[in-house]
Amino acid sequence: MSTPRTSTSSFMSRRGLLAAGGALGAGALLTACGGGSKGSSDGDSDSASGPWSFKDDRGETAKADRTPKKVVAFTGTAAALHDFGVECVGVFGPTIRKGGEPDPQAGDLDIDKLTVLGNAWGEFGVEKYAALSPELLVTNMIQGTELWYVPEESKKKILGFAPSIGINVTKVSLTQVIGRYAALADSLGADLKAKEVTDAKDRFEKASETLRKAARDNKGLKVLAASGSADLLYVSDPGVYADLAYFKSLGVDFVVPDKVTGGFFESLSWENAGKYPADLILLDNRTAALQPKDLAAKPTWAGLPAVKAGQISPWLSEPRYSHAGCAPLVEALAEAVQKAKKVA
């Protein structure tokens, strides 16, 4: 995103915070589907054996003599491509939880059939990546043109093996990001008219209308999107995260923090956790974020009106950007908004 960088170290600290320490990804960060279909300026795949190209959100065009088949992607990205009908051979990013079960960002991926190059921030097996003979690398872009979960120290070597694509997921609407991934999948040979793809889109659109109605019927309900850590409560700016921006466009009334630093959220000490009155809390449910059971011992958390009313809903702040991935999230929020009472 467009947040100015004061120095490499400060930038990297914010980047790491988004991924792990602060447990707040953007995009979580995401109009009509835009760009990147066959025969367009943003994507060109006339045949499986002919020249292929796709213009990404850095303004760079990835090119190959034929449509890439050996695609490696950030886990959530691979899950989105899978939903559109494109399979990856390898992934990097949160994939497997400590207990062995798939991370939520893995979506419907069969992780047993994938080569996992790294499961946490900073992990990327360069040699394993090279051994896959990759033909394309794809990931999100959270801040500026930095490729999400591609380590800075090994980026040059990694990008030397295959073309890369970055898709922006901040300060744009969710539907725009989904549209970009649909266009990329299309260029890679996916059938966007397949029943499972069109059914997922119908479900997403139906869920969106349900959320619009719920927000209208419960007008004035104040919703706060946040993530919890041991020392801080991070209150997210809904204008930055693609999903929150979309929910806001449907009428959801979000708390907008007034002291955002680093471009994504306001950091509150637990003593000040009640700064913003809210009736419903969307709480980041990713692995690195503290969950309600972890926060129960914090008096200021327990004292929040929404917490006392039991009005807390899970928030996957880094969704997989497909209709199939986002439809259940929209449905869950619609249900939460429908049931919530004004308590703040």
Side-chain angles (χ1 to χ4, degrees):
M1 58 181 295
S2 59
T3 304
R5 294 192 234 175
T6 56
S7 68
T8 301
S9 60
S10 64
F11 168 67
M12 288 306 295
S13 65
R14 289 200 300 273
R15 195 166 179 250
L17 178 67
L18 287 166
L24 271 184
L29 61 115
L30 247 198
T31 89
C33 294
S37 60
K38 295 176 185 176
S40 77
S41 59
D42 290 337
D44 190 359
S45 178
D46 294 332
S47 68
S49 59
W52 172 91
S53 67
F54 188 91
K55 187 175 181 180
D56 76 356
D57 292 341
R58 295 172 296 182
E60 298 182 9
T61 299
K63 297 179 180 180
D65 292 337
R66 60 190 178 98
T67 303
K69 296 300 180 186
K70 293 183 178 180
V71 181
V72 174
F74 172 68
T75 303
T77 294
L81 290 174
H82 167 83
D83 292 338
F84 286 116
V86 174
E87 301 302 334
C88 294
V89 296
V91 295
F92 54 93
T95 307
I96 307 169
R97 287 186 160 180
K98 289 182 179 179
E101 69 274 14
D103 188 274
Q105 292 191 66
D108 293 331
L109 290 174
D110 185 346
I111 58 176
D112 292 332
K113 294 182 179 180
L114 294 166
T115 298
V116 180
L117 304 175
N119 198 53
W121 182 255
E123 295 180 0
F124 194 111
V126 179
E127 291 183 4
K128 289 174 70 176
Y129 178 60
L132 290 172
S133 300
E135 297 173 344
L136 182 67
L137 182 145
V138 189
T139 187
N140 296 329
M141 294 191 303
I142 307 294
Q143 193 154 6
T145 58
E146 295 295 323
L147 299 176
W148 193 229
Y149 268 80
V150 176
E152 191 67 29
E153 60 273 13
S154 53
K155 183 175 79 169
K156 185 175 181 180
K157 188 172 184 179
I158 292 168
L159 298 185
F161 290 106
S164 62
I165 287 174
I167 300 297
N168 177 48
V169 300
T170 58
K171 292 188 176 180
V172 290
S173 177
L174 182 64
T175 50
Q176 183 174 333
V177 184
I178 292 174
R180 290 293 282 146
Y181 271 115
L184 175 58
D186 183 39
S187 82
L188 292 171
D191 179 8
L192 299 187
K193 294 181 180 179
K195 188 176 186 303
E196 59 268 27
V197 176
T198 58
D199 283 354
K201 185 176 181 181
D202 290 343
R203 179 182 174 185
F204 175 83
E205 292 174 348
K206 181 180 179 181
S208 297
E209 288 308 309
T210 301
L211 177 56
R212 189 192 303 275
K213 183 177 185 302
R216 184 172 62 243
D217 293 347
N218 209 347
K219 192 174 179 62
L221 187 81
K222 208 70 177 176
V223 181
L224 181 146
S227 180
S229 71
D231 301 317
L232 297 168
L233 179 69
Y234 302 93
V235 179
S236 298
D237 181 352
V240 176
Y241 295 76
D243 56 343
L244 301 184
Y246 181 62
F247 302 153
K248 185 176 180 180
S249 75
L250 296 176
V252 178
D253 187 4
F254 280 101
V255 167
V256 179
D258 56 24
K259 292 185 178 179
V260 174
T261 56
F264 295 91
F265 44 75
E266 178 175 353
S267 305
L268 298 176
S269 66
W270 281 108
E271 290 79 5
N272 296 312
K275 176 179 178 179
Y276 298 107
D279 304 298
L280 172 65
I281 296 175
L282 302 187
L283 189 66
D284 189 346
N285 71 343
R286 292 179 303 158
T287 304
L290 297 184
Q291 300 308 301
K293 61 180 176 57
D294 306 312
L295 298 171
K298 295 185 179 294
T300 50
W301 168 262
L304 295 176
V307 175
K308 290 195 289 186
Q311 296 180 172
I312 305 170
S313 185
W315 173 39
L316 185 60
S317 64
E318 281 189 74
R320 68 187 203 263
Y321 297 104
S322 67
H323 296 113
C326 291
L329 308 182
V330 182
E331 290 169 347
L333 179 56
E335 183 177 0
V337 170
Q338 287 169 342
K339 293 181 176 179
K341 307 296 182 185
K342 295 181 182 66
V343 294

